[in-house]
mmCIF file with all atom_site columns, all heavy atoms in Angstrom:
data_model
loop_
_atom_site.group_PDB
_atom_site.id
_atom_site.type_symbol
_atom_site.label_atom_id
_atom_site.label_alt_id
_atom_site.label_comp_id
_atom_site.label_asym_id
_atom_site.label_entity_id
_atom_site.label_seq_id
_atom_site.pdbx_PDB_ins_code
_atom_site.Cartn_x
_atom_site.Cartn_y
_atom_site.Cartn_z
_atom_site.occupancy
_atom_site.B_iso_or_equiv
_atom_site.pdbx_formal_charge
_atom_site.auth_seq_id
_atom_site.auth_comp_id
_atom_site.auth_asym_id
_atom_site.auth_atom_id
_atom_site.pdbx_PDB_model_num
ATOM 1   N N   . ARG A 1 248 ? -193.996 -31.556 -122.194 1.00 94.00 ? 251 ARG A N   1
ATOM 2   C CA  . ARG A 1 248 ? -193.185 -32.816 -122.143 1.00 94.00 ? 251 ARG A CA  1
ATOM 3   C C   . ARG A 1 248 ? -192.013 -32.700 -123.107 1.00 94.00 ? 251 ARG A C   1
ATOM 4   O O   . ARG A 1 248 ? -190.900 -33.259 -122.865 1.00 94.00 ? 251 ARG A O   1
ATOM 5   C CB  . ARG A 1 248 ? -194.161 -33.925 -122.661 1.00 94.00 ? 251 ARG A CB  1
ATOM 6   C CG  . ARG A 1 248 ? -193.508 -35.344 -122.536 1.00 94.00 ? 251 ARG A CG  1
ATOM 7   C CD  . ARG A 1 248 ? -194.521 -36.384 -122.538 1.00 94.00 ? 251 ARG A CD  1
ATOM 8   N NE  . ARG A 1 248 ? -195.241 -36.370 -121.263 1.00 94.00 ? 251 ARG A NE  1
ATOM 9   C CZ  . ARG A 1 248 ? -196.147 -37.273 -120.870 1.00 94.00 ? 251 ARG A CZ  1
ATOM 10  N NH1 . ARG A 1 248 ? -196.379 -38.334 -121.647 1.00 94.00 ? 251 ARG A NH1 1
ATOM 11  N NH2 . ARG A 1 248 ? -196.822 -37.219 -119.738 1.00 94.00 ? 251 ARG A NH2 1
ATOM 12  N N   . PHE A 1 249 ? -192.256 -31.902 -124.142 1.00 95.00 ? 252 PHE A N   1
ATOM 13  C CA  . PHE A 1 249 ? -191.059 -31.780 -125.137 1.00 95.00 ? 252 PHE A CA  1
ATOM 14  C C   . PHE A 1 249 ? -190.005 -30.937 -124.482 1.00 95.00 ? 252 PHE A C   1
ATOM 15  O O   . PHE A 1 249 ? -188.732 -31.184 -124.639 1.00 95.00 ? 252 PHE A O   1
ATOM 16  C CB  . PHE A 1 249 ? -191.565 -31.051 -126.354 1.00 95.00 ? 252 PHE A CB  1
ATOM 17  C CG  . PHE A 1 249 ? -190.429 -30.807 -127.386 1.00 95.00 ? 252 PHE A CG  1
ATOM 18  C CD1 . PHE A 1 249 ? -189.959 -32.014 -128.105 1.00 95.00 ? 252 PHE A CD1 1
ATOM 19  C CD2 . PHE A 1 249 ? -189.832 -29.575 -127.497 1.00 95.00 ? 252 PHE A CD2 1
ATOM 20  C CE1 . PHE A 1 249 ? -188.931 -31.763 -128.994 1.00 95.00 ? 252 PHE A CE1 1
ATOM 21  C CE2 . PHE A 1 249 ? -188.886 -29.492 -128.546 1.00 95.00 ? 252 PHE A CE2 1
ATOM 22  C CZ  . PHE A 1 249 ? -188.402 -30.571 -129.262 1.00 95.00 ? 252 PHE A CZ  1
ATOM 23  N N   . ALA A 1 250 ? -190.305 -29.960 -123.685 1.00 95.00 ? 253 ALA A N   1
ATOM 24  C CA  . ALA A 1 250 ? -189.326 -29.113 -122.978 1.00 95.00 ? 253 ALA A CA  1
ATOM 25  C C   . ALA A 1 250 ? -188.531 -29.969 -121.990 1.00 95.00 ? 253 ALA A C   1
ATOM 26  O O   . ALA A 1 250 ? -187.300 -29.891 -121.919 1.00 95.00 ? 253 ALA A O   1
ATOM 27  C CB  . ALA A 1 250 ? -189.955 -28.005 -122.223 1.00 95.00 ? 253 ALA A CB  1
ATOM 28  N N   . TYR A 1 251 ? -189.200 -30.883 -121.227 1.00 94.00 ? 254 TYR A N   1
ATOM 29  C CA  . TYR A 1 251 ? -188.534 -31.811 -120.391 1.00 94.00 ? 254 TYR A CA  1
ATOM 30  C C   . TYR A 1 251 ? -187.633 -32.714 -121.135 1.00 94.00 ? 254 TYR A C   1
ATOM 31  O O   . TYR A 1 251 ? -186.450 -33.038 -120.767 1.00 94.00 ? 254 TYR A O   1
ATOM 32  C CB  . TYR A 1 251 ? -189.536 -32.570 -119.643 1.00 94.00 ? 254 TYR A CB  1
ATOM 33  C CG  . TYR A 1 251 ? -188.977 -33.688 -118.702 1.00 94.00 ? 254 TYR A CG  1
ATOM 34  C CD1 . TYR A 1 251 ? -188.509 -33.278 -117.453 1.00 94.00 ? 254 TYR A CD1 1
ATOM 35  C CD2 . TYR A 1 251 ? -188.915 -35.020 -119.142 1.00 94.00 ? 254 TYR A CD2 1
ATOM 36  C CE1 . TYR A 1 251 ? -187.901 -34.389 -116.688 1.00 94.00 ? 254 TYR A CE1 1
ATOM 37  C CE2 . TYR A 1 251 ? -188.334 -36.026 -118.390 1.00 94.00 ? 254 TYR A CE2 1
ATOM 38  C CZ  . TYR A 1 251 ? -187.794 -35.611 -117.049 1.00 94.00 ? 254 TYR A CZ  1
ATOM 39  O OH  . TYR A 1 251 ? -187.270 -36.610 -116.348 1.00 94.00 ? 254 TYR A OH  1
ATOM 40  N N   . MET A 1 252 ? -188.029 -33.206 -122.276 1.00 94.00 ? 255 MET A N   1
ATOM 41  C CA  . MET A 1 252 ? -187.267 -34.076 -123.162 1.00 94.00 ? 255 MET A CA  1
ATOM 42  C C   . MET A 1 252 ? -185.932 -33.407 -123.594 1.00 94.00 ? 255 MET A C   1
ATOM 43  O O   . MET A 1 252 ? -184.940 -33.971 -123.578 1.00 94.00 ? 255 MET A O   1
ATOM 44  C CB  . MET A 1 252 ? -188.072 -34.505 -124.377 1.00 94.00 ? 255 MET A CB  1
ATOM 45  C CG  . MET A 1 252 ? -187.453 -35.561 -125.222 1.00 94.00 ? 255 MET A CG  1
ATOM 46  S SD  . MET A 1 252 ? -188.485 -35.895 -126.673 1.00 94.00 ? 255 MET A SD  1
ATOM 47  C CE  . MET A 1 252 ? -189.962 -36.528 -125.876 1.00 94.00 ? 255 MET A CE  1
ATOM 48  N N   . CYS A 1 253 ? -186.082 -32.091 -123.970 1.00 95.00 ? 256 CYS A N   1
ATOM 49  C CA  . CYS A 1 253 ? -184.937 -31.328 -124.486 1.00 95.00 ? 256 CYS A CA  1
ATOM 50  C C   . CYS A 1 253 ? -183.897 -31.285 -123.177 1.00 95.00 ? 256 CYS A C   1
ATOM 51  O O   . CYS A 1 253 ? -182.701 -31.375 -123.407 1.00 95.00 ? 256 CYS A O   1
ATOM 52  C CB  . CYS A 1 253 ? -185.359 -29.929 -124.845 1.00 95.00 ? 256 CYS A CB  1
ATOM 53  S SG  . CYS A 1 253 ? -186.168 -29.877 -126.415 1.00 95.00 ? 256 CYS A SG  1
ATOM 54  N N   . ARG A 1 254 ? -184.400 -31.058 -121.941 1.00 94.00 ? 257 ARG A N   1
ATOM 55  C CA  . ARG A 1 254 ? -183.469 -30.935 -120.814 1.00 94.00 ? 257 ARG A CA  1
ATOM 56  C C   . ARG A 1 254 ? -182.734 -32.288 -120.659 1.00 94.00 ? 257 ARG A C   1
ATOM 57  O O   . ARG A 1 254 ? -181.620 -32.292 -120.226 1.00 94.00 ? 257 ARG A O   1
ATOM 58  C CB  . ARG A 1 254 ? -184.161 -30.598 -119.554 1.00 94.00 ? 257 ARG A CB  1
ATOM 59  C CG  . ARG A 1 254 ? -184.755 -29.256 -119.538 1.00 94.00 ? 257 ARG A CG  1
ATOM 60  C CD  . ARG A 1 254 ? -185.422 -28.957 -118.161 1.00 94.00 ? 257 ARG A CD  1
ATOM 61  N NE  . ARG A 1 254 ? -185.902 -27.691 -118.060 1.00 94.00 ? 257 ARG A NE  1
ATOM 62  C CZ  . ARG A 1 254 ? -187.285 -27.355 -118.163 1.00 94.00 ? 257 ARG A CZ  1
ATOM 63  N NH1 . ARG A 1 254 ? -188.101 -28.394 -118.359 1.00 94.00 ? 257 ARG A NH1 1
ATOM 64  N NH2 . ARG A 1 254 ? -187.774 -26.152 -118.027 1.00 94.00 ? 257 ARG A NH2 1
ATOM 65  N N   . GLU A 1 255 ? -183.366 -33.451 -121.034 1.00 93.00 ? 258 GLU A N   1
ATOM 66  C CA  . GLU A 1 255 ? -182.809 -34.782 -120.797 1.00 93.00 ? 258 GLU A CA  1
ATOM 67  C C   . GLU A 1 255 ? -181.799 -35.038 -121.857 1.00 93.00 ? 258 GLU A C   1
ATOM 68  O O   . GLU A 1 255 ? -180.781 -35.590 -121.724 1.00 93.00 ? 258 GLU A O   1
ATOM 69  C CB  . GLU A 1 255 ? -183.911 -35.878 -120.753 1.00 93.00 ? 258 GLU A CB  1
ATOM 70  C CG  . GLU A 1 255 ? -184.779 -35.755 -119.571 1.00 93.00 ? 258 GLU A CG  1
ATOM 71  C CD  . GLU A 1 255 ? -184.036 -36.087 -118.265 1.00 93.00 ? 258 GLU A CD  1
ATOM 72  O OE1 . GLU A 1 255 ? -183.347 -37.116 -118.217 1.00 93.00 ? 258 GLU A OE1 1
ATOM 73  O OE2 . GLU A 1 255 ? -184.003 -35.290 -117.369 1.00 93.00 ? 258 GLU A OE2 1
ATOM 74  N N   . VAL A 1 256 ? -182.095 -34.616 -123.119 1.00 94.00 ? 259 VAL A N   1
ATOM 75  C CA  . VAL A 1 256 ? -181.256 -34.904 -124.313 1.00 94.00 ? 259 VAL A CA  1
ATOM 76  C C   . VAL A 1 256 ? -180.022 -34.038 -124.379 1.00 94.00 ? 259 VAL A C   1
ATOM 77  O O   . VAL A 1 256 ? -178.925 -34.570 -124.648 1.00 94.00 ? 259 VAL A O   1
ATOM 78  C CB  . VAL A 1 256 ? -182.051 -34.795 -125.596 1.00 94.00 ? 259 VAL A CB  1
ATOM 79  C CG1 . VAL A 1 256 ? -181.168 -34.864 -126.858 1.00 94.00 ? 259 VAL A CG1 1
ATOM 80  C CG2 . VAL A 1 256 ? -183.187 -35.900 -125.566 1.00 94.00 ? 259 VAL A CG2 1
ATOM 81  N N   . PHE A 1 257 ? -180.167 -32.742 -124.178 1.00 94.00 ? 260 PHE A N   1
ATOM 82  C CA  . PHE A 1 257 ? -179.044 -31.833 -124.357 1.00 94.00 ? 260 PHE A CA  1
ATOM 83  C C   . PHE A 1 257 ? -178.120 -31.746 -123.169 1.00 94.00 ? 260 PHE A C   1
ATOM 84  O O   . PHE A 1 257 ? -178.547 -32.098 -122.062 1.00 94.00 ? 260 PHE A O   1
ATOM 85  C CB  . PHE A 1 257 ? -179.517 -30.459 -124.814 1.00 94.00 ? 260 PHE A CB  1
ATOM 86  C CG  . PHE A 1 257 ? -180.257 -30.454 -126.069 1.00 94.00 ? 260 PHE A CG  1
ATOM 87  C CD1 . PHE A 1 257 ? -181.587 -30.240 -126.230 1.00 94.00 ? 260 PHE A CD1 1
ATOM 88  C CD2 . PHE A 1 257 ? -179.400 -30.564 -127.317 1.00 94.00 ? 260 PHE A CD2 1
ATOM 89  C CE1 . PHE A 1 257 ? -182.261 -30.323 -127.493 1.00 94.00 ? 260 PHE A CE1 1
ATOM 90  C CE2 . PHE A 1 257 ? -180.094 -30.622 -128.512 1.00 94.00 ? 260 PHE A CE2 1
ATOM 91  C CZ  . PHE A 1 257 ? -181.424 -30.417 -128.571 1.00 94.00 ? 260 PHE A CZ  1
ATOM 92  N N   . ARG A 1 258 ? -176.887 -31.205 -123.310 1.00 93.00 ? 261 ARG A N   1
ATOM 93  C CA  . ARG A 1 258 ? -176.048 -31.118 -122.275 1.00 93.00 ? 261 ARG A CA  1
ATOM 94  C C   . ARG A 1 258 ? -176.391 -30.085 -121.327 1.00 93.00 ? 261 ARG A C   1
ATOM 95  O O   . ARG A 1 258 ? -177.187 -29.181 -121.601 1.00 93.00 ? 261 ARG A O   1
ATOM 96  C CB  . ARG A 1 258 ? -174.596 -30.771 -122.893 1.00 93.00 ? 261 ARG A CB  1
ATOM 97  C CG  . ARG A 1 258 ? -174.013 -31.702 -123.857 1.00 93.00 ? 261 ARG A CG  1
ATOM 98  C CD  . ARG A 1 258 ? -172.760 -31.125 -124.463 1.00 93.00 ? 261 ARG A CD  1
ATOM 99  N NE  . ARG A 1 258 ? -172.998 -29.828 -124.983 1.00 93.00 ? 261 ARG A NE  1
ATOM 100 C CZ  . ARG A 1 258 ? -172.104 -29.106 -125.567 1.00 93.00 ? 261 ARG A CZ  1
ATOM 101 N NH1 . ARG A 1 258 ? -170.846 -29.445 -125.589 1.00 93.00 ? 261 ARG A NH1 1
ATOM 102 N NH2 . ARG A 1 258 ? -172.378 -27.911 -126.072 1.00 93.00 ? 261 ARG A NH2 1
ATOM 103 N N   . GLN A 1 259 ? -175.880 -30.156 -120.056 1.00 92.00 ? 262 GLN A N   1
ATOM 104 C CA  . GLN A 1 259 ? -176.228 -29.140 -119.054 1.00 92.00 ? 262 GLN A CA  1
ATOM 105 C C   . GLN A 1 259 ? -175.732 -27.738 -119.524 1.00 92.00 ? 262 GLN A C   1
ATOM 106 O O   . GLN A 1 259 ? -176.340 -26.647 -119.173 1.00 92.00 ? 262 GLN A O   1
ATOM 107 C CB  . GLN A 1 259 ? -175.589 -29.533 -117.752 1.00 92.00 ? 262 GLN A CB  1
ATOM 108 C CG  . GLN A 1 259 ? -176.119 -28.658 -116.518 1.00 92.00 ? 262 GLN A CG  1
ATOM 109 C CD  . GLN A 1 259 ? -175.608 -29.160 -115.263 1.00 92.00 ? 262 GLN A CD  1
ATOM 110 O OE1 . GLN A 1 259 ? -174.845 -30.163 -115.183 1.00 92.00 ? 262 GLN A OE1 1
ATOM 111 N NE2 . GLN A 1 259 ? -175.917 -28.610 -114.116 1.00 92.00 ? 262 GLN A NE2 1
ATOM 112 N N   . ALA A 1 260 ? -174.630 -27.710 -120.246 1.00 92.00 ? 263 ALA A N   1
ATOM 113 C CA  . ALA A 1 260 ? -174.026 -26.441 -120.696 1.00 92.00 ? 263 ALA A CA  1
ATOM 114 C C   . ALA A 1 260 ? -174.903 -25.803 -121.865 1.00 92.00 ? 263 ALA A C   1
ATOM 115 O O   . ALA A 1 260 ? -174.780 -24.633 -122.162 1.00 92.00 ? 263 ALA A O   1
ATOM 116 C CB  . ALA A 1 260 ? -172.649 -26.595 -121.171 1.00 92.00 ? 263 ALA A CB  1
ATOM 117 N N   . ASP A 1 261 ? -175.746 -26.577 -122.528 1.00 94.00 ? 264 ASP A N   1
ATOM 118 C CA  . ASP A 1 261 ? -176.473 -26.142 -123.607 1.00 94.00 ? 264 ASP A CA  1
ATOM 119 C C   . ASP A 1 261 ? -177.644 -25.184 -123.137 1.00 94.00 ? 264 ASP A C   1
ATOM 120 O O   . ASP A 1 261 ? -178.203 -25.396 -122.060 1.00 94.00 ? 264 ASP A O   1
ATOM 121 C CB  . ASP A 1 261 ? -177.126 -27.252 -124.496 1.00 94.00 ? 264 ASP A CB  1
ATOM 122 C CG  . ASP A 1 261 ? -176.029 -28.087 -125.127 1.00 94.00 ? 264 ASP A CG  1
ATOM 123 O OD1 . ASP A 1 261 ? -174.916 -27.586 -125.305 1.00 94.00 ? 264 ASP A OD1 1
ATOM 124 O OD2 . ASP A 1 261 ? -176.197 -29.328 -125.339 1.00 94.00 ? 264 ASP A OD2 1
ATOM 125 N N   . VAL A 1 262 ? -177.923 -24.227 -123.903 1.00 94.00 ? 265 VAL A N   1
ATOM 126 C CA  . VAL A 1 262 ? -178.943 -23.200 -123.466 1.00 94.00 ? 265 VAL A CA  1
ATOM 127 C C   . VAL A 1 262 ? -180.153 -23.372 -124.341 1.00 94.00 ? 265 VAL A C   1
ATOM 128 O O   . VAL A 1 262 ? -180.157 -23.414 -125.678 1.00 94.00 ? 265 VAL A O   1
ATOM 129 C CB  . VAL A 1 262 ? -178.426 -21.753 -123.789 1.00 94.00 ? 265 VAL A CB  1
ATOM 130 C CG1 . VAL A 1 262 ? -179.411 -20.733 -123.326 1.00 94.00 ? 265 VAL A CG1 1
ATOM 131 C CG2 . VAL A 1 262 ? -177.074 -21.562 -123.092 1.00 94.00 ? 265 VAL A CG2 1
#
Side-chain angles (χ1 to χ4, degrees):
R251 187 157 295 185
F252 181 74
Y254 176 81
M255 188 183 299
C256 288
R257 292 190 182 97
E258 293 293 306
V259 167
F260 293 107
R261 303 172 303 177
Q262 189 171 3
D264 297 335
V265 182

